[in-house]
Amino acid sequence: MMATPKPGPVQINSRNPIPLSSSQETQVRELYYKRVRGYCADEIRDFASCALNRTISATWACRQQRLAMNNCMIAHASQQEQDAAREEWFATRDERRKEREAKEARKKEQEKFHRAWWGMPPLPEDEEPASTEAKR
């Protein structure tokens, strides 16, 4: 009998193998847009200052600034930027989880304080478990 070789770890060619939920994809997209806007901040600022206090006339009065802004954004809006935004999202995932847990703990403490302040009974999950001797 011949020995069969053990398969090694599966290699995934995609840089982003994990599918994300709709809300997570929205967060990645927001990071992506923020990065692209960061690259083109000067062009955006120029267009915004030109368009300030203008209405319809901004279309032709600020054409040069608008084209510069659009060209910059198109130049930086690439698949590599989307991948970089997704990698940034994954890199900060633990940080966001810790912030969310801290926020939930703060909310529970505020609820406890509120109930104690107004003399309300504590929630069932806030009550201390009775000792086993008291149950006998």
Side-chain angles (χ1 to χ4, degrees), residues 36-49 65 68-69 72:
V36 172
R37 284 191 307 266
Y39 293 131
C40 302
D42 294 333
E43 289 84 354
I44 293 170
R45 193 176 308 109
D46 292 344
F47 176 72
S49 64
Q65 292 88 345
M69 178 184 70
C72 177

Side-chain angles (χ1 to χ4, degrees), residues 6-55:
K6 290 185 178 179
V10 176
Q11 295 294 325
I12 299 174
N13 292 333
S14 174
R15 290 172 54 114
N16 304 306
I18 300 174
L20 301 176
S21 69
S22 178
S23 64
Q24 292 169 333
E25 283 292 343
T26 302
Q27 292 172 357
V28 170
R29 210 172 16 259
E30 288 172 2
L31 271 175
Y32 166 68
Y33 293 149
K34 181 180 175 184
R35 291 172 63 95
V36 172
R37 284 191 307 266
Y39 293 131
C40 302
D42 294 333
E43 289 84 354
I44 293 170
R45 193 176 308 109
D46 292 344
F47 176 72
S49 64
C50 176
L52 188 67
N53 296 324
R54 295 180 195 256
T55 54

Side-chain angles (χ1 to χ4, degrees), residues 35-131:
R35 291 172 63 95
V36 172
R37 284 191 307 266
Y39 293 131
C40 302
D42 294 333
E43 289 84 354
I44 293 170
R45 193 176 308 109
D46 292 344
F47 176 72
S49 64
C50 176
L52 188 67
N53 296 324
R54 295 180 195 256
T55 54
I56 302 293
S57 64
T59 304
W60 60 85
C62 304
R63 181 175 179 171
Q64 214 171 24
Q65 292 88 345
R66 180 179 53 84
L67 290 175
M69 178 184 70
N70 285 348
N71 287 337
C72 177
M73 293 180 91
I74 289 170
H76 291 289
S78 63
Q79 185 62 44
Q80 290 82 12
E81 278 303 317
Q82 287 180 349
D83 290 341
R86 186 176 279 241
E87 288 171 8
E88 181 180 341
W89 186 87
F90 277 110
T92 59
R93 189 168 65 180
D94 287 336
E95 183 180 314
R96 286 190 311 277
R97 181 184 50 79
K98 288 176 185 175
E99 288 173 2
R100 190 171 50 248
E101 288 172 352
K103 185 177 179 181
E104 289 172 8
R106 206 168 34 250
K107 183 178 177 183
K108 283 185 179 182
E109 287 300 317
Q110 289 173 347
E111 177 72 19
K112 273 185 179 178
F113 175 78
H114 174 79
R115 288 183 162 283
W117 179 266
W118 291 103
M120 299 169 72
L123 293 174
E125 64 226 19
D126 292 342
E127 293 176 358
E128 297 294 323
S131 66

